[in-house]
Amino acid sequence: MKKRILAVAVIISLTLLCGCSKTNDVQKETKNGQAGTSAEINTTSNSTDSTTSAEEEATSQEETTSQEKTDYLAMTQPVIENGHYVFNLYSLSKEAIDTFGEDFAEFYVKVVDAYMSGETKIPCTNQDYADMLCIILPREMPAFEADTTVNNITDYDGEYITLHYANTVDEHKKLVEDIKNATNSYLESVSPDDSEQLKAEKVYNAMSKVMSYDYEGMNTRENIEAYYGMLNHTGVCVTFSNIYMFLLKQVGIECTLVSAMSGPDMEGHVFNLVKINGQNYFCDTTFEISETKGNGFIYFGETAENRINDGICKDWMSVGLYNVKDYTEIDIAKKPITIIPLS
């Protein structure tokens, strides 16, 4: 776990330094009651009946526990209303679930509920959860990044994690409502019946065409969190890549961050790796915004070779949020994707 935290810390440091845009050249982010009713065991029954009854009760408890896990997992999955994807407050990436296990979904839902109610103490007996929560929160939910802090060194006592809020509960709800409205507007054109590629393309286009690069933010590092980008339509590479990742999660597309060095001055840059129809492709909304004002797909569905030709340094390209790997360890598509024209 310490190695994982160190790897993620390196990515965060690079993220904070990123300042890439793209112009003509590359330039300088249950409770159903107890599981089954307790079977009353007749004291006169034989040992076989007692064993059978105990086994049935144990099976019932296991099934109930499994159902609880399934329910929490279901709460983190994309939500469809009236034939459209809509914002899910509890959305959680497959990468988080794969990394921390299915039980993490229950913990995460409870963290979200605590945030919405203003609770500062979160019960937690899992060291991995405590170690990584300060990384997980800003990646999974933009409101957390804009409002919540947790220090994985000082804010865990072995039983509880302490969250620190900058705002009141009412302000939390306002932040979430802002994100909800923005998310639903970006997803408006995406249909559950669309193919994975078409979903990824529509989200890429919907967000890119309304964004502009924030050169002042590149220098000040102020208000470059995904929350501000979603509302103000400005940001830097880390802003755009986090927004794209968050929106794709809302429609069930696997997406993660790629941290790299770019250009002759080797500046930090962040973009995305997206899984479409079982193939991994690079997508760079920042370069798209800078070069085509978000109206093209030049940097959508790229290969590693494409990225290197774009000016990305092949010797420093790390992929992942919680289990960071070098891009050479990832099975990346060998051919760029064929764009589906949007009607």
Side-chain angles (χ1 to χ4, degrees):
M1 175 54 65
K2 289 183 178 179
K3 290 182 179 179
R4 180 188 293 160
I5 295 173
L6 178 60
V8 175
V10 171
I11 299 304
I12 292 174
S13 298
L14 181 57
T15 292
L16 293 174
L17 294 173
C18 79
C20 282
S21 62
K22 175 78 174 175
T23 54
N24 292 331
D25 299 308
V26 178
Q27 294 182 357
K28 322 184 180 171
E29 169 115 60
T30 119
K31 291 186 181 177
N32 292 332
Q34 289 262 346
T37 54
S38 298
E40 295 183 0
I41 302 176
N42 191 321
T43 56
T44 61
S45 355
N46 58 38
S47 60
T48 301
D49 290 339
S50 297
T51 301
T52 301
S53 179
E55 289 175 348
E56 288 175 349
E57 183 173 351
T59 300
S60 177
Q61 290 174 337
E62 289 174 1
E63 289 175 349
T64 302
T65 301
S66 176
Q67 183 61 44
E68 284 181 343
K69 289 182 180 178
T70 302
D71 289 343
Y72 279 111
L73 282 174
M75 291 176 69
T76 67
Q77 301 308 299
V79 174
I80 300 171
E81 292 180 0
N82 300 319
H84 293 281
Y85 288 105
V86 294
F87 170 76
N88 180 9
L89 176 64
Y90 300 109
S91 67
L92 186 63
S93 67
K94 185 176 183 298
E95 184 174 352
I97 294 169
D98 287 347
T99 303
F100 303 108
E102 292 184 357
D103 288 342
F104 182 73
E106 177 180 354
F107 173 74
Y108 182 73
V109 167
K110 291 179 178 179
V111 170
V112 173
D113 285 340
Y115 171 79
M116 294 302 291
S117 64
E119 294 291 330
T120 58
K121 294 287 187 180
I122 312 295
C124 178
T125 57
N126 187 304
Q127 185 70 50
D128 283 1
Y129 297 176
D131 285 342
M132 293 297 291
L133 191 60
C134 61
I135 309 299
I136 296 166
L137 293 184
R139 294 292 176 257
E140 299 292 339
M141 179 58 180
F144 288 136
E145 187 176 31
D147 178 63
T148 309
T149 60
V150 56
N151 187 309
N152 67 313
I153 303 299
T154 62
D155 293 338
Y156 181 56
D157 61 8
E159 294 183 1
Y160 291 90
I161 294 173
T162 301
L163 298 179
H164 304 277
Y165 304 125
N167 297 298
T168 65
V169 171
D170 286 342
E171 288 170 323
H172 292 183
K173 293 176 180 178
K174 175 62 167 58
L175 285 170
V176 170
E177 187 67 19
D178 288 342
I179 294 169
K180 174 184 175 180
N181 293 334
T183 298
N184 290 343
S185 68
Y186 289 123
L187 303 183
E188 194 172 21
S189 66
V190 185
S191 168
D193 295 329
D194 290 336
S195 66
E196 286 189 352
Q197 180 178 338
L198 199 53
K199 290 174 186 177
E201 282 189 20
K202 285 183 175 181
V203 174
Y204 184 92
N205 179 255
M207 68 153 287
S208 296
K209 68 184 181 183
V210 300
M211 297 289 176
S212 60
Y213 196 86
D214 183 1
Y215 289 94
E216 182 178 351
M218 180 182 70
N219 295 320
T220 65
R221 317 310 293 173
E222 293 180 358
N223 295 339
I224 60 172
E225 294 84 2
Y227 168 80
Y228 297 107
M230 292 178 76
L231 268 63
N232 301 331
H233 300 166
T234 62
V236 296
C237 61
V238 68
T239 317
F240 304 139
S241 55
N242 271 292
I243 292 173
Y244 190 48
M245 179 176 64
F246 175 75
L247 293 175
L248 286 188
K249 179 178 62 170
Q250 297 281 336
V251 300
I253 303 293
E254 289 184 53
C255 179
T256 191
L257 297 183
V258 183
S259 297
M261 292 294 186
S262 175
D265 294 330
M266 294 290 287
E267 290 192 324
H269 185 46
V270 183
F271 47 99
N272 298 104
L273 185 75
V274 182
K275 180 171 284 189
I276 299 173
N277 299 328
Q279 293 283 309
N280 290 304
Y281 298 93
F282 294 114
C283 295
D284 194 329
T285 50
T286 305
F287 280 16
E288 199 72 62
I289 290 163
S290 298
E291 185 152 315
T292 71
K293 298 189 183 300
N295 291 309
F297 290 94
I298 296 175
Y299 301 102
F300 179 92
E302 290 195 302
T303 65
E305 183 180 1
N306 293 148
R307 287 275 70 191
I308 293 167
N309 290 337
D310 292 335
I312 303 299
C313 177
K314 67 178 181 179
D315 297 322
W316 190 312
M317 208 182 328
S318 299
V319 179
L321 299 174
Y322 314 121
N323 187 18
V324 181
K325 299 179 180 180
D326 187 82
Y327 80 100
T328 57
E329 300 177 67
I330 308 294
D331 186 14
I332 298 168
K334 300 299 186 291
K335 294 182 180 180
I337 206 164
T338 300
I339 301 300
I340 301 173
L342 299 182
S343 56

